[in-house]
Amino acid sequence: MWAELWPSAIGLARYLDRDVPLRGKQVLELGCGLGLLGVVTARDGARVLCTDYEADALAFARYNALQNGCRDVRFRLVDWRYPALKRRYDAILASDVIYEARNFGPLVALLQRFLARGGRAFFADPGRSNAVPFFALLRQRGFTYQKVVEPVEWEGRHEIAIYVIKHHSDGRPIS
């Protein structure tokens, strides 16, 4: 449900804010929900496109961005199966999106098509076992990843897995 602030979004937002310089970078947020990741990266100086499949989510994310002084964030309705995007992105962000197997293929195809050379994707997950096939598919399609655990205290204690994903033939960092 897009209308909740999930621990995975909090964990990824903290990780990005603390460890990933994105100033001046093109950033794509997938399944933005309330827009936390877009706000955090925009405040760090990134040029952000927040996307979601739900128009209501985009309206709330836009409101959240404006309330946080982020005037240059853009918003677009996007279906991962048919992403009408026009550029490659230095960073692609997503939290709590790898829970339905029907989305795995479209998400990996989106990364193949829209992650810039030298770019990285950052996916956060609360440790769902049904996400394992997604990472197997990533490896099959030429991606590598590193996992970092980010503890989050939000309505309980959570160990959020942050996956830093890049294409295996592309070792250049984005910074």
Side-chain angles (χ1 to χ4, degrees):
M1 171 57 95
W2 64 265
E4 291 187 45
L5 185 55
W6 294 97
S8 292
I10 295 168
L12 183 52
R14 285 182 188 157
Y15 175 80
L16 293 169
D17 190 47
R18 182 186 64 235
D19 295 334
V20 183
L22 292 171
R23 178 169 301 285
K25 304 297 182 188
Q26 293 288 338
V27 174
L28 173 65
E29 182 181 2
L30 303 173
C32 70
L34 297 173
L36 176 62
L37 300 177
V39 165
V40 167
T41 55
R43 289 181 65 124
D44 190 33
R47 295 182 303 269
V48 183
L49 174 62
C50 291
T51 66
D52 206 290
Y53 187 73
E54 299 287 337
D56 288 343
L58 292 173
F60 275 83
R62 180 178 286 115
Y63 177 80
N64 190 13
L66 291 173
Q67 289 300 305
N68 283 279
C70 303
R71 307 254 179 255
D72 294 328
V73 179
R74 295 174 299 124
F75 302 88
R76 183 173 301 153
L77 199 61
V78 170
D79 180 337
W80 298 333
R81 296 168 300 169
Y82 313 103
L85 301 169
K86 296 179 180 174
R87 71 174 54 221
R88 290 185 176 264
Y89 294 86
D90 302 305
I92 298 178
L93 317 176
S95 65
D96 273 318
V97 300
I98 49 176
Y99 56 90
E100 290 184 339
R102 67 188 173 110
N103 290 328
F104 296 172
L107 282 168
V108 172
L110 191 147
L111 291 177
Q112 287 176 304
R113 187 169 171 199
F114 296 107
L115 186 61
R117 181 170 174 79
R120 293 179 287 179
F122 300 88
F123 278 45
D125 184 77
R128 292 186 185 98
S129 61
N130 60 339
V132 172
F134 173 77
F135 295 103
L137 182 59
L138 271 178
R139 283 190 303 274
Q140 289 172 3
R141 300 277 177 87
F143 288 91
T144 60
Y145 60 87
Q146 293 181 310
K147 177 181 168 183
V148 177
V149 175
E150 182 75 26
V152 172
E153 295 284 341
W154 177 263
E155 298 177 350
R157 180 162 175 77
H158 307 273
E159 299 294 321
I160 302 303
I162 310 289
Y163 295 91
V164 181
I165 303 164
K166 64 181 182 176
H167 198 272
H168 77 80
S169 65
D170 191 2
R172 295 177 304 154
I174 65 171
S175 52

